[in-house]
Amino acid sequence: MQNALYTSATIVELLPMCVGSPIYKITLSPHSPLQHWSAGQFIMLDFGSSHLCSFARPFSIASIGSSTVTLYIHIRGKETKHLRTLSRGDVLHMWGPLGNSFSPPTKETLLIAGGIGIAPFVTYTNQYRTPLTFLFGHRIDEENYPLNECSTMTTCRTFHDNNSSSLQVFLDEIRATMLQYKQGQVLACGPLPLLRYIRNLAIELDIYAELSLEETMFCGVGACLGCVCKTTDSYSDSRYSDSYVQSCTAGPIFVAHNILI
Amino acid sequence: MVDCRVQLGSDSFMLSLENPIMTASGTFGYGLEFTNYGDIGSLGAIVLKGISLRPRVGNPMPRIAEVEGGLLNAVGLQNYGVEYLISHILPQLQDTRATVIANLYANSVHEFAELARILSEESAIHALELNVSCPNVREGGVLFGQNKAMLADVVSHVTRVSKKHVSVKLTPNVTDIVEMARIAEDNGANSLTCINTLQGMAVDIYSKKPKLANIYGGLSGPCIKPVALQCVHRVAQAVSIPVIGVGGICSAQDVLEFILVGAYAVQIGTATFMNPTFPFQLVDELVTLCKEIGIERIEEFRNTLL
Ligand SMILES: Cc1cc2nc3c(=O)[nH]c(=O)nc-3n(C[C@H](O)[C@H](O)[C@H](O)COP(=O)(O)OP(=O)(O)OC[C@H]3O[C@@H](n4cnc5c(N)ncnc54)[C@H](O)[C@@H]3O)c2cc1C
Ligand SMILES: Cc1cc2nc3c(=O)[nH]c(=O)nc-3n(C[C@H](O)[C@H](O)[C@H](O)COP(=O)(O)O)c2cc1C
Ligand code: FES
């Protein structure tokens, strides 16, 4: 939050991940450079879809270069579909970096992502450049995702979970692997059902896990109270125990034991 | 040079603002959330998130849904409570030289008066705004703003104990907002804030569910601007205390529209969610627009609708 700023940004690269992919890599050159960010943080990106009323959307920072920021965006609906109408040279608005970040790796750190939840781990694996195991589940083909952009020091195991039996294989593998990380930490990002599964495992097996939530956000700065997540008694800030906290400022990353999802 | 200063009232409860741009309650947090994006002391005033005597958890999720031209919200006044506001937030606000208005919410006349009494003692607070118009809470809230006797009761009790300027924030969800405005004025209000959100609803035909857990919510954003303008115009013609216009403001032109129909100042709400620097930018854009049109003093443009 300390370094967050609002800036316009020029699109310097915008490409689908493969022919016909719903996922785009977008590289922007912010007119004021983003500074002091860490893996897990996000920006709010305004697609400028309507002159009068367009709300920005949150996206994980997948990498920041000296004068650029790269995101991977899965086209879902109202705002993200505008990606298809944009091109190099167009100017958008954004603010960030926002939110908290994942803890740095300890000796044993397991990364788990589902789908576009891979985005923060592109930064994470490159920021820390240490051997890490990464379990990655995806519904559409692997070539849609920036797996090659993750550090080569990362051991990636991918699971094509496009039906219920292959999904079960992924979930079983998560359980089996998490058991080997009882002294370490699990960092996860992905769809809510996956995060819920990992949260429940973390509690059952008493493993430290950090989950990056994808709540709907409107302001990204803690003001609208539309992105809140329910906390448990173990949440450190007693003001919030058993009540709601903004996932844009207190999160998007929460310790599994501290939240109800 | 354009003179943007405005004075709300003329008696001992007068509130002087450097410019007419204020932030709307519930859309600017406690102000501190925005210090990265601009100098909150440069705004006319900031209105804090609604505060109650005790902390409130707020409504379940989902609380906000996007609709055509705006938002529907049912946040339910989640807040830390007045004690925390005084101990942790006001000291930080004091350092910013911002003009700070507290937005008060309570379930009873007694609680409203108690809150006003407590906050009157705080030097970091410059005025109080009574939220008798929140559509998203079960008790209190909009009930006070929709019932003539209750409104008279709450405004008279609060203004009796308050040592600060008191603005009453009116709801458009009534048959006749002018009648409510007059009641607030007659019972001692120093200014009126028009308007709070309009009650609305959004549903999803695929899940067959309402888009808000609370089912109904308050509509805000550019889609309500014509309603807000009309309320401000009618109220401003009917009362002699200042009216603060709010509802859908997204540009300097919108600001001048509200001033043209009689508003002394304006509040920016939903537009801040689209761009956290917006209220700060607007202060400059307003000056530029005034120069373009040839307005030298904001006050001379007020209520000049032909
Ligand atoms: C901190 C954070 C980081 C994120 N990082 C990324 C990222 O790096 N890349 C990325 O592609 N997305 C990311 N998201 C999700 C992204 O913000 C949403 O997909 C986006 O807001 C959808 O906007 P839209 O207007 O296109 O969809 P809408 O029109 O708002 O929604 C269309 C449909 O998509 C569904 N939808 C909305 N949000 C999600 C979601 N999060 N997951 C699954 N379905 C959803 C809705 O239920 C709806 O049915 C992140 C979210 C958060 C909170
Ligand atoms: C998310 C949200 C929260 C709000 N919370 C409050 C509140 O606590 N107290 C209050 O008096 N008004 C509250 N409002 C109403 C606004 O202050 C304002 O009256 C309304 O949104 C109309 O202005 P706008 O169209 O510029 O947003 C809230 C509005 C929104 C969108
Ligand atoms: S997105 Fe507005 S409070 Fe989090």
Side-chain angles (χ1 to χ4, degrees), chain A residues 40 42 47 56-61 71-81 116-117 119-120 189 191 212-217 247 252, chain B residues 66:
Chain A
F42 65 98
F47 293 91
R57 296 289 194 261
F59 298 100
S60 299
I61 296 169
L71 315 169
Y72 294 94
I73 298 183
H74 193 144
I75 295 181
R76 303 274 183 203
K78 185 171 175 292
E79 294 299 323
T80 51
K81 72 165 192 259
I116 202 63
C189 183
S212 181
L213 301 188
E214 286 195 355
E215 287 292 354
T216 310
M217 294 180 180
S247 66
Chain B
E66 201 173 327

Side-chain angles (χ1 to χ4, degrees), chain A residues 1 57 78 225 239-240, chain B residues 36 63 66 78 80 84:
Chain A
M1 260 303 277
R57 296 289 194 261
K78 185 171 175 292
L225 300 176
R239 246 183 310 158
Y240 291 119
Chain B
N36 275 334
R63 291 173 167 188
E66 201 173 327
Q78 175 184 337
Y80 299 136
Y84 186 88

Side-chain angles (χ1 to χ4, degrees), chain A residues 183-200:
Chain A
Q183 310 305 321
Q185 60 178 359
V186 175
L187 311 181
C189 183
L192 188 61
L194 176 69
L195 296 183
R196 198 175 277 142
Y197 175 76
I198 296 170
R199 175 191 175 270
N200 293 342

Side-chain angles (χ1 to χ4, degrees), chain A residues 146-159:
Chain A
L147 271 168
N148 317 339
E149 303 286 331
C150 292
S151 158
T152 49
M153 299 185 75
T154 308
T155 311
C156 249
R157 291 164 54 202
T158 62
F159 300 82

Side-chain angles (χ1 to χ4, degrees), chain B residues 41-282:
Chain B
S42 71
L43 299 170
I46 64 169
V47 185
L48 308 183
K49 173 69 192 164
I51 195 86
S52 47
L53 270 181
R54 278 165 290 281
R56 285 180 58 93
V57 176
N59 286 330
M61 288 281 278
R63 291 173 167 188
I64 304 188
E66 201 173 327
V67 295
E68 202 59 54
L71 292 179
L72 205 55
N73 95 82
V75 169
L77 286 157
Q78 175 184 337
N79 79 89
Y80 299 136
V82 72
E83 233 172 78
Y84 186 88
L85 177 78
I86 291 172
S87 60
H88 287 74
I89 295 170
L90 295 188
Q92 295 182 67
L93 281 174
Q94 199 125 36
D95 298 337
T96 63
R97 45 170 213 100
T99 300
V100 180
I101 300 178
N103 177 276
L104 279 54
Y105 167 76
N107 292 335
S108 67
V109 172
H110 170 76
E111 278 182 19
F112 261 118
E114 180 64 6
L115 259 180
R117 194 189 57 73
I118 295 171
L119 288 168
S120 267
E121 301 301 324
E122 295 302 320
S123 59
I125 300 281
H126 300 85
L128 310 179
E129 184 179 79
L130 296 191
N131 178 4
V132 290
S133 43
C134 179
N136 302 325
V137 283
R138 293 208 193 292
E139 341 75 32
V142 75
L143 289 178
F144 284 100
Q146 288 176 330
N147 179 303
K148 293 179 224 168
M150 282 168 81
L151 183 66
D153 204 20
V154 73
V155 177
S156 62
H157 274 80
V158 166
T159 50
R160 215 172 295 148
V161 297
S162 171
K163 297 175 190 154
K164 315 252 180 193
H165 181 107
V166 174
S167 183
V168 176
K169 186 162 178 183
L170 299 174
T171 172
N173 303 314
V174 288
T175 316
D176 185 7
I177 195 169
V178 168
E179 198 174 14
M180 295 306 190
R182 287 207 180 101
I183 290 171
E185 180 181 34
D186 292 346
N187 285 278
N190 304 107
S191 65
L192 300 170
T193 307
C194 297
I195 56 177
N196 208 317
T197 53
L198 285 113
Q199 203 153 35
M201 179 176 189
V203 297
D204 183 302
I205 58 165
Y206 300 101
S207 65
K208 295 192 180 175
K209 283 184 182 161
K211 290 194 180 172
L212 298 177
N214 192 53
I215 306 176
Y216 308 128
L219 185 63
S220 66
C223 62
I224 72 166
K225 195 186 77 175
V227 178
L229 262 183
Q230 180 244 193
C231 289
V232 169
H233 183 244
R234 289 181 54 216
V235 170
Q237 306 313 306
V239 298
S240 52
I241 50 175
V243 177
I244 300 161
V246 47
I249 295 174
C250 286
S251 67
Q253 180 169 326
D254 291 343
V255 174
L256 286 183
E257 287 177 14
F258 276 87
I259 293 175
L260 178 64
V261 303
Y264 280 59
V266 296
Q267 296 179 355
I268 314 306
T270 302
T272 306
F273 296 158
M274 298 182 233
N275 169 357
T277 65
F278 182 65
F280 308 104
Q281 279 178 22
L282 199 51

Side-chain angles (χ1 to χ4, degrees), chain A residues 23-259:
Chain A
I23 299 176
Y24 280 68
K25 177 182 185 180
I26 178 169
T27 301
L28 297 145
S29 173
H31 301 169
S32 309
L34 304 188
Q35 284 168 341
H36 306 294
W37 56 280
S38 191
Q41 288 193 284
F42 65 98
I43 58 147
M44 295 294 290
L45 181 64
D46 176 2
F47 293 91
S49 59
S50 140
H51 165 64
L52 192 59
C53 193
S54 71
F55 293 94
R57 296 289 194 261
F59 298 100
S60 299
I61 296 169
S63 73
I64 291 190
S66 56
S67 63
T68 58
V69 49
T70 297
L71 315 169
Y72 294 94
I73 298 183
H74 193 144
I75 295 181
R76 303 274 183 203
K78 185 171 175 292
E79 294 299 323
T80 51
K81 72 165 192 259
H82 285 277
L83 270 185
R84 295 208 172 98
T85 66
L86 295 169
S87 52
R88 242 180 102 154
D90 286 344
V91 175
L92 305 179
H93 290 87
M94 55 184 269
W95 58 102
L98 301 166
N100 60 2
S101 48
F102 283 116
S103 292
T106 53
K107 262 207 190 91
E108 296 176 38
T109 296
L110 173 65
L111 311 180
I112 306 174
I116 202 63
I118 189 174
F121 294 134
V122 174
T123 357
Y124 191 87
T125 58
N126 286 298
Q127 183 176 348
Y128 296 111
R129 300 201 157 270
T130 179
L132 294 164
T133 302
F134 180 21
L135 305 182
F136 177 56
H138 55 95
R139 217 160 273 182
I140 54 175
D141 284 348
E142 208 174 294
E143 58 181 358
N144 288 282
Y145 297 97
L147 271 168
N148 317 339
E149 303 286 331
C150 292
S151 158
T152 49
M153 299 185 75
T154 308
T155 311
C156 249
R157 291 164 54 202
T158 62
F159 300 82
H160 198 174
D161 56 14
N162 56 345
N163 60 43
S164 59
S165 64
S166 59
L167 177 62
Q168 196 55 49
V169 172
F170 181 41
L171 298 181
D172 290 344
E173 194 55 34
I174 289 174
R175 178 185 257 278
T177 316
M178 274 178 70
L179 274 168
Q180 298 161 27
Y181 285 80
K182 288 203 91 157
Q183 310 305 321
Q185 60 178 359
V186 175
L187 311 181
C189 183
L192 188 61
L194 176 69
L195 296 183
R196 198 175 277 142
Y197 175 76
I198 296 170
R199 175 191 175 270
N200 293 342
L201 274 181
I203 287 166
E204 179 196 328
L205 307 173
D206 196 24
I207 296 173
Y208 178 88
E210 294 179 359
L211 312 174
S212 181
L213 301 188
E214 286 195 355
E215 287 292 354
T216 310
M217 294 180 180
F218 292 93
C219 70
V221 300
C224 73
L225 300 176
C227 68
V228 296
C229 162
K230 198 153 203 169
T231 58
T232 60
D233 285 344
S234 59
Y235 194 75
S236 61
D237 192 334
S238 58
R239 246 183 310 158
Y240 291 119
S241 69
D242 199 23
S243 66
Y244 294 106
V245 295
Q246 293 97 315
S247 66
C248 61
T249 48
I253 296 154
F254 291 95
V255 175
H257 288 68
N258 292 344
I259 52 166

